[in-house]
Amino acid sequence: MKIWVDADACPGPVREILLRASQRLKVPLVFVANRGMNLPRSEFVSTVQVGAGLDVADQHIATSAQRGDLAVTQDIPLAALLVPRGVVTLDPRGELFSEENIAERLSVRNFMQELRESGVVTGGPSGFNAQDRQRFAAALDRELARLLPKRG
């Protein structure tokens, strides 16, 4: 099992939570980005720097992640590729993308994109806050406990 991170837009607090979880549970953690990343050295942490371009990091994750892995992304089209393949997918605010909600999330995302492209100002997400951090940490713990064999 690996944890894949769409790192280009990953909030710093989420990155720190993931680094601690990887060390604590000895789970490989892979950050994928189109720029270099300054991360602490660890036998469990690696980075993949992909070329510049739209969705290059997403495509790397989509082709590399396997059933039973966990991915962290706020990119709904990437989540829509991963969920049907059995990759547990969380957004940085702790929402679990699932078979039950991914089609609706993708539809809303596409609708909002159409509005923006037609000139409607839709606003963006609110800033990342302490509640988001707590929700993500709780969701990550819950999903890792479910995915990893009992240890001890």
Side-chain angles (χ1 to χ4, degrees):
M1 185 228 162
K2 289 184 181 178
I3 301 171
W4 296 90
V5 183
D6 183 0
D8 286 325
C10 182
V14 168
R15 183 176 54 235
E16 296 303 319
I17 291 166
L18 290 164
L19 288 165
R20 283 195 304 274
S22 171
Q23 285 300 121
R24 183 179 75 245
L25 299 171
K26 299 177 177 23
V27 173
L29 174 61
V30 183
F31 289 91
V32 182
N34 60 19
R35 58 179 163 63
M37 296 191 67
N38 186 16
L39 296 169
R41 294 178 58 96
S42 166
E43 65 183 294
F44 303 108
V45 177
S46 61
T47 61
V48 174
Q49 186 172 348
V50 297
L54 192 61
D55 300 328
V56 178
D58 297 350
Q59 286 306 311
H60 181 84
I61 294 170
T63 59
S64 301
Q66 300 176 4
R67 176 175 292 283
D69 285 351
L70 186 142
V72 177
T73 184
Q74 58 189 359
D75 188 279
I76 296 169
L78 173 57
L81 295 172
L82 297 172
V83 168
R85 294 188 28 233
V87 178
V88 173
T89 308
L90 293 172
D91 84 355
R93 295 175 191 260
E95 180 177 348
L96 177 66
F97 294 106
S98 67
E99 292 281 352
E100 291 77 27
N101 70 14
I102 194 62
E104 178 183 351
R105 293 292 311 270
L106 189 58
S107 177
V108 169
R109 178 249 181 223
N110 291 342
F111 175 70
M112 296 301 284
Q113 183 174 345
E114 288 174 19
L115 286 177
R116 285 188 295 275
E117 288 171 355
S118 69
V120 175
V121 177
T122 60
S126 60
F128 191 81
N129 62 39
Q131 280 185 318
D132 296 325
R133 183 182 189 283
Q134 289 175 320
R135 273 194 304 272
F136 177 78
L140 179 67
D141 285 346
R142 179 185 67 241
E143 296 306 319
L144 288 174
R146 198 172 58 75
L147 286 168
L148 295 172
K150 298 295 180 212
R151 298 179 181 210

